[in-house]
């Protein structure tokens, strides 16, 4: 598959519903499903009549693209393939950049609160918009992952990585600093796996495998072509070698090795309790039934 999307590992907001039937509440007042893209497939036909946004960030998805999404706050049956241009998809937003956004009294782990007029957040851009979002911008704040819809992007401020990682707010709030640093580390890794000239041969990694109930598998990168980016990974649990394309399957460095690798030595990956994108790697692994991927 060609590297044309850059969606793997991205945060996603999904609004679904029946075609041609739009409920009365405004789109930003309805229930959005949130999750992370773990795999991408480009099989399938295009759906007509879809508004596709341009601009920077992940490229507009190809006409038949499907994404495997690990949704939040739901059972295993909600980890499923979503056809980006399917009729039931009313809007689909994907993370685009890190910004400073206004918010009131952000809550912290343990029930604490901080008085700050702005807070680091992920800004999203629309891949599909059938509900007329227009200039409305969705942001997801770091740490508590609260989502807010803003009338436009005029109030957003660019997050300058080199300078703002030393911002007093991040220095005072360890959970916030860790969450932002972890997101930046994963962003760098995904860019290297997609387009960079580095090789991670010999590194221990986690590979996402949608067909298993406990989807993260530990493995060792035995081969990594820095030109094609294709990897051969020996999976520890089953002692088998798999050929992996990291542009379509989510691959992450094993947590214990993050601080050892120079290009990502900005900060450790956050754990799931900190709002991270990964989850624990289990020893026992059971394949999913086809019916479990629906819904």
């Amino acid at each position: 598959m060609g590297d044309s999307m850059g969606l793997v590992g991205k945060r996603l907001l999904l609004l679904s519903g029946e075609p041609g039937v739009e409920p009365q509440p405004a789109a930003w007042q309805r229930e959005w499903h949130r999750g992370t893209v773990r795999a991408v497939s480009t099989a399938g036909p295009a759906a007509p009549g879809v508004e596709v946004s341009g601009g920077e960030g992940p490229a507009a998805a190809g006409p038949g693209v499907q994404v495997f999404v690990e949704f939040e706050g739901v059972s295993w049956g909600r980890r499923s393939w979503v056809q980006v241009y399917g009729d039931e998809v009313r809007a689909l937003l994907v993370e685009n950049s890190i910004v400073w956004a206004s918010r009131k009294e952000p809550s912290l782990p343990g029930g604490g609160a901080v008085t700050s007029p702005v807070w680091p957040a992920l800004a999203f851009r629309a891949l599909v918009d059938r509900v007329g979002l227009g200039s409305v911008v969705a942001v997801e704040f770091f740490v508590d992952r609260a989502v807010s819809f803003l009338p436009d992007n005029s109030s957003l401020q660019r997050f300058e990585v080199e300078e703002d990682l030393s911002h007093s707010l991040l220095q005072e709030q360890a959970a916030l600093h860790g969450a932002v640093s972890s997101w930046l580390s994963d962003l760098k890794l995904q860019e290297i796996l997609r387009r960079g000239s580095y090789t991670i041969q010999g590194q221990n990694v986690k590979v996402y495998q949608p067909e298993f109930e406990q989807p993260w598998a530990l493995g060792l990168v035995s081969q990594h072509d820095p030109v094609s980016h294709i990897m051969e990974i020996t999976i520890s649990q089953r002692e088998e070698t798999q050929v992996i394309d990291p542009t379509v399957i989510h691959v992450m460095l094993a947590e214990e090795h993050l601080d050892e690798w120079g290009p990502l030595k900005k900060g450790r990956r956050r754990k799931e309790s900190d709002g991270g994108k990964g989850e624990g790697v289990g020893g026992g692994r059971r394949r999913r039934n086809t019916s479990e991927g629906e819904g």
Side-chain angles (χ1 to χ4, degrees):
M1 284 179 201
D3 178 15
S4 60
M5 292 156 288
L7 298 177
V8 170
K10 298 294 185 183
R11 299 283 296 153
L12 175 145
L13 300 177
L14 172 67
L15 182 64
S16 57
E18 296 183 14
V21 180
E22 298 298 338
Q24 290 300 317
W28 48 89
Q29 296 176 328
R30 291 156 61 183
E31 181 181 2
W32 290 72
H33 300 292
R34 295 187 285 172
T36 302
V37 177
R38 301 298 190 187
V40 175
S41 171
T42 55
V50 180
E51 178 181 337
V52 181
S53 297
E56 299 179 355
V65 71
Q66 298 180 71
V67 290
F68 189 87
V69 182
E70 189 173 54
F71 291 103
E72 292 181 357
V74 291
S75 66
W76 167 254
R78 292 299 296 170
R79 298 174 185 172
S80 60
W81 289 98
V82 174
Q83 186 174 347
V84 172
Y85 296 124
D87 290 340
E88 73 283 358
V89 174
R90 311 314 299 156
L92 190 149
L93 314 181
V94 64
E95 72 173 62
N96 184 44
S97 61
I98 182 173
V99 298
W100 290 97
S102 300
R103 74 175 306 187
K104 297 180 180 179
E105 299 183 357
S107 54
L108 298 173
V114 177
T115 302
S116 176
V118 292
W119 194 263
L122 289 177
F124 288 73
R125 62 184 289 267
L127 288 182
V128 176
D129 179 10
R130 289 177 167 129
V131 294
L133 290 173
S135 63
V136 172
V137 177
V139 296
E140 182 183 68
F141 295 100
F142 280 92
V143 181
D144 63 357
R145 285 192 167 177
V147 173
S148 178
F149 287 87
L150 308 177
D152 52 48
N153 62 5
S154 61
S155 64
L156 301 179
Q157 304 171 38
R158 183 182 180 87
F159 188 96
E160 302 290 349
V161 175
E162 296 300 326
E163 298 177 7
D164 290 343
L165 278 177
S166 300
H167 190 283
S168 59
L169 178 62
L170 276 72
Q171 294 302 309
E172 294 168 2
Q173 304 298 327
L176 177 59
H177 188 279
V180 172
S181 297
S182 176
W183 180 84
L184 291 170
S185 292
D186 191 48
L187 176 68
K188 289 182 179 181
L189 175 61
Q190 297 309 316
E191 286 299 304
I192 287 170
L193 294 181
R194 290 178 57 229
R195 298 187 295 199
S197 58
Y198 291 101
T199 176
I200 61 170
Q201 185 169 321
Q203 295 288 333
N204 288 310
V205 296
K206 296 196 299 184
V207 182
Y208 197 86
Q209 300 184 313
E211 69 272 23
F212 289 100
E213 182 178 0
Q214 295 178 342
W216 287 107
L218 284 172
L220 177 70
V221 180
S222 54
Q223 298 288 336
H224 182 200
D225 187 333
V227 177
S228 69
H229 308 297
I230 300 299
M231 302 176 176
E232 291 185 10
I233 300 177
T234 302
I235 304 300
S236 302
Q237 289 96 327
R238 299 187 301 279
E239 296 185 353
E240 67 180 27
T241 298
Q242 296 185 359
V243 177
I244 301 293
D245 181 352
T247 69
V248 296
I249 293 290
H250 202 182
V251 175
M252 301 194 301
L253 289 180
E255 293 185 5
E256 64 269 22
H257 295 281
L258 280 175
D259 285 341
E260 300 173 6
W261 200 44
L264 301 180
K265 203 172 181 180
K266 287 288 187 180
R268 291 190 59 82
R269 172 174 304 284
R270 59 187 175 269
K271 298 178 181 178
E272 185 70 16
S273 59
D274 293 330
K277 295 181 179 180
E279 65 181 48
V281 180
R285 295 167 63 74
R286 179 174 72 87
R287 286 187 180 273
R288 299 171 61 225
N289 296 326
T290 303
S291 60
E292 290 181 304
E294 303 296 328

